Amino acid sequence: MNIEDFRAHCLSKPGVTEELPFGPDTLVFKVAGKMFALCSISDYGSGVALKCDPEQAVEFREKYPQVKPGYHLSKVHWNTVLPEAGLPDPFLQQWIDDSYRLVTAKLTRKQRQAIGGSC
């Protein structure tokens, strides 16, 4: 999956914003102010960070060599996925969707209503 497809998929979710809070090279996707995905703009192939259920995070790392512990993030809740290392796009899209759902599940009812859509 290239960076344009990654960005488009992240932005297709209800209530998502993109920001550069860590400097001009780190693109961060948030819902209700909470991160669910991030990547380097200049070095996209080095990995995208996605929030993950802790048990699945370990399972994915063991099963796929393209999945590593979160870089500079909680290794329990984040994985770094090498997006250009041969994983089928549907896998990565599903992991983006799961990351988004993990974050929206922790939002208040009022926040989820403000976002709209099916979170």
Side-chain angles (χ1 to χ4, degrees):
M1 174 179 278
N2 62 41
I3 192 168
E4 292 86 8
D5 292 339
F6 174 77
R7 181 177 177 267
H9 192 75
C10 289
L11 290 173
S12 73
K13 307 283 167 220
V16 170
T17 60
E18 62 180 335
E19 303 175 18
L20 299 165
F22 304 119
D25 188 55
T26 305
L27 187 56
V28 177
F29 297 92
K30 295 181 178 184
V31 59
K34 303 197 182 295
M35 290 191 321
F36 73 93
L38 62 135
C39 69
S40 167
I41 296 170
S42 66
D43 193 16
Y44 172 74
S46 69
V48 298
L50 299 170
K51 194 160 185 126
C52 194
D53 173 83
E55 289 179 18
Q56 277 191 322
V58 173
E59 179 186 325
F60 290 159
R61 291 177 207 154
E62 291 173 353
K63 189 172 182 178
Y64 301 102
Q66 303 94 328
V67 180
K68 310 289 182 200
Y71 182 70
H72 287 301
L73 296 163
S74 167
K75 311 295 187 248
V76 174
H77 297 281
W78 289 86
N79 274 341
T80 296
V81 181
L82 304 176
E84 298 173 328
L87 284 172
D89 286 359
F91 278 20
L92 191 51
Q93 290 168 341
Q94 183 61 53
W95 293 345
I96 293 166
D97 297 347
D98 291 346
S99 181
Y100 176 85
R101 273 193 292 276
L102 281 170
V103 172
T104 58
K106 300 280 186 180
L107 299 177
T108 66
R109 181 181 306 188
K110 184 177 181 178
Q111 287 173 313
R112 285 193 301 270
Q113 288 174 338
I115 292 167
S118 57
C119 343

